[in-house]
């Protein structure tokens, strides 16, 4: 038997925490001295303590922990629960990282107001282009809405093209449209091809011909999570030079290495004279 101090030391917890677990019936001691009130624990109780701490550290409330342990969940079931919770936490970390990237991009845009050179913007005629694409729907145009949609679309697109025996003949092209019925955004993830227009077998891919248009263009370097300062520089140029926007900018992937910070993307925003 261990005193509460020794048991706390072996379990790497505080005696105060053990007293609390005793008070709520989560981990009562093996024996309590009726004369002194001292608590004594058995070595076998370390197994329950380990489960309590693991579940608590993964975000379960003590009430949830007790419910799990009272169901006498076995090691394999517990391991499965922990794996699921780990996946949830990893996704939360990923989402938090993406949110921080957006905050950083917004701060860079604020810091660059009135300072970013606009001479990198070029007006040019964009020729018609044929793309093989998959489409999805995003609830809005915010990066946190677009990224979860466009990434999986591209993940599916290239393997399906390979299965259909179609090779890309040019860069990736992403473009966007408003859905007039519900205000959502239709996301088109495409890549330049020379295949005939129409459905590409039973892959779900459609080959379309995008029409030519006049565009104000600018090159963005880095992850698209940080595109905000570049896109706002483009907006300021359009406003200052007698044009108005005629729709969402296309995103032309010029370089897409594994490191997203090394990406090079041209934004092509359709414009008309104001």
């Amino acid at each position: 038997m261990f005193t509460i101090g020794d048991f706390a030391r072996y379990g790497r917890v505080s005696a105060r925490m053990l007293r609390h677990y005793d008070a709520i019936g989560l981990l009562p001691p093996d024996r309590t001295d009726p004369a002194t009130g001292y608590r004594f624990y058995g070595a076998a109780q370390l197994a329950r303590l380990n489960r309590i701490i693991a579940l608590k550290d993964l975000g379960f409330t003590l009430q949830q922990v007790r419910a799990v342990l009272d169901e006498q969940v076995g090691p394999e079931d517990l391991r499965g629960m922990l794996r699921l919770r780990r996946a949830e936490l990893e996704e939360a970390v990923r989402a938090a990282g993406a949110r921080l990237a957006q905050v950083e991009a917004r701060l860079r845009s604020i810091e660059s107001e009135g300072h970013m050179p606009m001479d990198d913007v070029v007006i040019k005629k964009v020729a018609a282009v044929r793309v093989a694409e998959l489409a999805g729907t995003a609830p809005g145009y915010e990066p946190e809405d677009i990224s979860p949609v466009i990434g999986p679309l591209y993940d599916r697109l290239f393997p399906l093209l390979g299965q259909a025996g179609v090779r890309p003949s040019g860069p990736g092209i992403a473009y966007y449209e408003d859905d007039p019925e519900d205000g959502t955004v239709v996301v088109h993830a495409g890549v330049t091809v020379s295949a005939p227009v129409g459905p590409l077998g039973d892959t779900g891919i459609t080959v379309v011909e995008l029409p030519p248009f006049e565009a104000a263009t600018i090159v963005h370097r880095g992850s698209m999570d940080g595109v905000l300062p570049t896109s706002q520089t483009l907006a300021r140029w359009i406003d200052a030079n007698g044009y108005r926007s005629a729709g969402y900018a296309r995103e032309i992937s010029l370089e897409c290495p594994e490191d997203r910070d090394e990406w090079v993307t041209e934004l092509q925003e359709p414009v008309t004279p104001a």
Side-chain angles (χ1 to χ4, degrees), residues 1-10 15 18-19 21-22 27-46 49:
M1 301 291 286
F2 302 109
T3 65
I4 190 171
D6 288 339
F7 190 72
R9 178 164 53 86
Y10 287 123
L18 290 175
R19 294 189 188 96
Y21 290 167
D22 180 19
L27 183 60
D30 260 358
R31 184 172 68 85
T32 302
D33 190 304
T36 63
Y38 289 169
R39 298 171 175 86
F40 295 92
Y41 294 82
Q45 290 184 284
L46 287 170
L49 178 62

Side-chain angles (χ1 to χ4, degrees), residues 171-252:
I173 299 178
Y175 66 102
Y176 309 91
E177 298 174 307
D178 288 322
D179 188 324
E181 294 186 0
D182 57 12
T184 58
V185 175
V186 181
V187 179
H188 299 266
V191 65
T192 309
V193 295
S194 56
V197 171
L200 192 58
D202 59 357
T203 62
I205 296 173
T206 303
V207 178
V208 299
E209 185 94 15
L210 300 182
F213 65 101
E214 184 175 38
T217 67
I218 190 171
V219 173
H220 171 71
R221 300 180 185 278
S223 168
M224 292 303 289
D225 290 337
V227 75
L228 186 66
T230 307
S231 64
Q232 290 192 354
T233 294
L234 183 59
R236 292 188 183 97
W237 187 96
I238 291 170
D239 184 62
N241 287 270
Y243 291 91
R244 65 179 179 85
S245 174
Y248 291 107
R250 289 185 190 173
E251 298 166 358
I252 314 301

Side-chain angles (χ1 to χ4, degrees), residues 56-269:
K56 187 170 76 71
D57 286 349
L58 284 169
F60 292 94
T61 67
L62 292 181
Q63 289 78 7
Q64 291 171 325
V65 170
R66 181 162 56 187
V68 169
L69 296 182
D70 287 348
E71 288 293 325
Q72 297 183 343
V73 175
E76 286 305 314
D77 291 335
L78 181 59
R79 185 176 295 277
M81 293 177 63
L82 298 184
R83 285 174 179 157
L84 177 61
R85 184 59 177 162
R86 181 175 63 186
E88 292 173 347
L89 291 174
E90 288 172 347
E91 173 58 23
V93 169
R94 186 207 62 77
R99 175 68 67 178
L100 287 173
Q102 295 309 315
V103 172
E104 178 64 27
R106 188 74 62 174
L107 289 174
R108 287 200 303 272
S109 185
I110 292 170
E111 292 167 353
S112 65
E113 289 173 357
H115 302 291
M116 282 193 71
M118 294 192 290
D119 54 2
D120 290 336
V121 178
V122 176
I123 289 286
K124 66 182 180 182
K125 299 287 187 180
V126 176
V129 62
R130 189 169 295 182
V131 300
E133 66 171 47
L134 292 172
T137 301
Y141 193 55
E142 290 78 6
E144 58 266 30
D145 295 328
I146 297 296
S147 294
V149 177
I150 198 167
L153 287 176
Y154 271 116
D155 289 342
R156 291 169 48 209
L157 178 64
F158 290 103
L160 289 172
L161 284 175
Q163 293 172 21
V166 175
R167 295 175 60 87
S169 58
I173 299 178
Y175 66 102
Y176 309 91
E177 298 174 307
D178 288 322
D179 188 324
E181 294 186 0
D182 57 12
T184 58
V185 175
V186 181
V187 179
H188 299 266
V191 65
T192 309
V193 295
S194 56
V197 171
L200 192 58
D202 59 357
T203 62
I205 296 173
T206 303
V207 178
V208 299
E209 185 94 15
L210 300 182
F213 65 101
E214 184 175 38
T217 67
I218 190 171
V219 173
H220 171 71
R221 300 180 185 278
S223 168
M224 292 303 289
D225 290 337
V227 75
L228 186 66
T230 307
S231 64
Q232 290 192 354
T233 294
L234 183 59
R236 292 188 183 97
W237 187 96
I238 291 170
D239 184 62
N241 287 270
Y243 291 91
R244 65 179 179 85
S245 174
Y248 291 107
R250 289 185 190 173
E251 298 166 358
I252 314 301
S253 301
L254 303 180
E255 297 179 22
C256 289
E258 187 172 343
D259 184 353
R260 293 163 59 94
D261 291 334
E262 300 297 324
W263 283 8
V264 179
T265 306
E266 183 179 68
L267 305 183
Q268 299 178 344
E269 184 152 347

